[in-house]
Amino acid sequence: MKKETNYPSNRFSIAPMLDWTDRHCRHFHRVMSKETLLYTEMVTTGAILYGKGDYLQKGDAEHPVCLQLGGFATADLAQSAIAGKERGYDEINLNVGCPSDRVQNGRFGACLMAEGDLVGDAVKAMQDATDLPISVKTRIGIDDLDSYEFLCDFIDKVHNKGCDTFIVHARKAWLSGLSPKQNRDVPPLDYDRVYQLKKDFPHLTIAINGGIKTLDECETHLEHLDGVMLGREIYSNPYLLSTVDQRLFNSQEKVLTRFEVLEEMYPYIEQQLKDGSYLNHIGRHMLGLFQGLPGARAWRRHLSENGHIPGAGIETMQKAASFVTED
């Protein structure tokens, strides 16, 4: 049974990206879009249950935000989902799409597509443990298991255990022979297969991911599907987020200029610096803010060269921005 959310779940979201979508990145993205569903990096159940660090850090301003889990043991996933609920996350997502060797060696990620029953059991365990919505992010296939029938069988097995929301990367994954980076580019995109999935499972929430670069493309996909997820394009060109609420959620709120986005970030940055962060911990996520404008390269260079220096603060960012001329 679908668990209700108080936000437009998965209509537009930003993909979980290892080493990138941390709490600073999410805060920056939230300044530009109030409606976008944000994701954590994939966090393994082992890190949550047995790690020494705090892998569930997030800010109060990030909502709605989804915790993506990596793992296969149903009990560990259930306990991790409970931890996510306790820390205030709005949704739990299970990664069944990452093809890296490290992930495969841990028996999670894309290799789990071959174990639809296990994924279904994991979903049920998490749903039994918490009242949060549970979603699954997957590929359209793995290795030679790439027929449409295989994909439908996987979706059917997982749905029968209670999952109603799937985010589908419209490429298959090669578990050997390709690096994670190559798996994002080399296997051909097949958007039509994801469209067909929605036609055959109209009662499910189906969002699409993979190779999408513009809001025009998002609007086209939303004619066929329930949601769109963007990843690296948002990271290289984050200001694309500034009109998402107006174009995809019918918001009447004012669109912030790039310099207004920067101003909105200053209080957060100052607090984080007081708490022990370095400027580059936050600034690295903001390097693309002025992409395409005169002075953008100087902005990136000054911030990159000076943001790591102990004591670097708002004035460093202001100096970097002084090189930019806004249209």
Side-chain angles (χ1 to χ4, degrees), residues 21-282:
T21 49
D22 62 18
R23 60 193 176 92
H24 302 313
C25 180
R26 296 192 300 268
H27 187 94
F28 173 49
H29 289 166
R30 182 58 71 216
V31 167
M32 291 176 282
S33 172
K34 306 305 179 190
E35 303 292 345
T36 296
L37 176 61
L38 303 178
Y39 274 73
T40 67
E41 308 167 77
M42 182 184 68
V43 186
T44 66
T45 56
I48 294 172
L49 301 179
Y50 311 111
K52 294 181 180 179
D54 182 359
Y55 295 93
L56 297 180
Q57 274 189 305
K58 69 169 185 61
D60 293 337
E62 294 177 27
H63 299 285
V65 58
C66 178
L67 169 63
Q68 188 184 68
L69 296 177
F72 70 93
T74 56
D76 289 351
L77 285 165
Q79 285 301 117
S80 297
I82 291 171
K85 168 71 173 179
E86 291 173 345
R87 293 298 292 272
Y89 284 92
D90 299 294
E91 185 172 317
I92 305 293
N93 177 267
L94 179 61
N95 184 311
V96 189
C98 181
S100 77
D101 291 341
R102 183 174 66 86
V103 166
Q104 291 180 59
N105 291 337
R107 198 187 168 197
F108 53 93
C111 63
L112 285 178
M113 279 202 79
E115 301 185 72
D117 289 325
L118 177 61
V119 174
D121 289 342
V123 166
K124 186 177 187 306
M126 289 187 285
Q127 288 193 328
D128 288 346
T130 177
D131 60 354
L132 292 181
I134 308 295
S135 60
V136 168
K137 187 172 189 295
T138 186
R139 294 276 186 142
I140 58 173
I142 50 171
D143 295 337
D144 294 326
L145 299 173
D146 63 353
S147 69
Y148 182 66
E149 290 72 25
F150 169 78
L151 177 60
C152 288
D153 183 63
F154 172 82
I155 296 293
D156 200 46
K157 287 178 177 177
V158 179
H159 166 59
N160 286 339
K161 291 296 180 73
C163 183
D164 293 307
T165 301
F166 295 84
I167 302 92
V168 184
H169 187 149
R171 287 185 175 94
K172 77 172 184 179
W174 284 105
L175 300 182
S176 60
L178 293 182
S179 68
K181 182 180 185 303
Q182 289 172 319
N183 262 302
R184 292 193 298 269
D185 301 314
V186 175
L189 287 161
D190 191 346
Y191 295 144
D192 288 338
R193 182 166 293 198
V194 186
Y195 293 173
Q196 187 61 47
L197 200 64
K198 176 62 183 179
K199 290 178 182 177
D200 291 337
F201 295 87
H203 51 295
L204 300 184
T205 297
I206 305 288
I208 195 167
N209 172 228
I212 305 165
K213 297 183 180 297
T214 69
L215 294 188
D216 287 344
E217 292 174 58
C218 290
E219 289 175 337
T220 297
H221 288 304
L222 288 170
E223 293 174 6
H224 304 272
L225 299 161
D226 304 295
V228 182
M229 173 182 278
L230 264 65
R232 297 182 189 275
E233 183 63 25
I234 288 289
Y235 205 83
S236 62
N237 183 22
Y239 193 65
L240 185 127
L241 272 176
S242 65
T243 56
V244 162
D245 292 1
Q246 289 75 17
R247 290 188 59 176
L248 303 185
F249 295 92
N250 298 316
S251 171
Q252 301 303 308
E253 294 294 316
K254 172 183 177 290
V255 176
L256 297 178
T257 69
R258 298 173 203 248
F259 283 100
E260 286 172 338
V261 171
L262 187 59
E263 290 283 342
E264 289 281 330
M265 283 296 294
Y266 284 157
Y268 175 82
I269 293 170
E270 289 177 331
Q271 184 59 55
Q272 293 303 311
L273 295 178
K274 288 179 183 177
D275 292 343
S277 292
Y278 284 91
L279 185 64
N280 69 315
H281 292 166
I282 307 163

Side-chain angles (χ1 to χ4, degrees), residues 5-26:
T5 64
N6 58 1
Y7 60 91
S9 178
N10 292 296
R11 179 168 174 78
F12 184 86
S13 59
I14 297 176
M17 292 178 282
L18 199 60
D19 297 326
W20 293 114
T21 49
D22 62 18
R23 60 193 176 92
H24 302 313
C25 180
R26 296 192 300 268

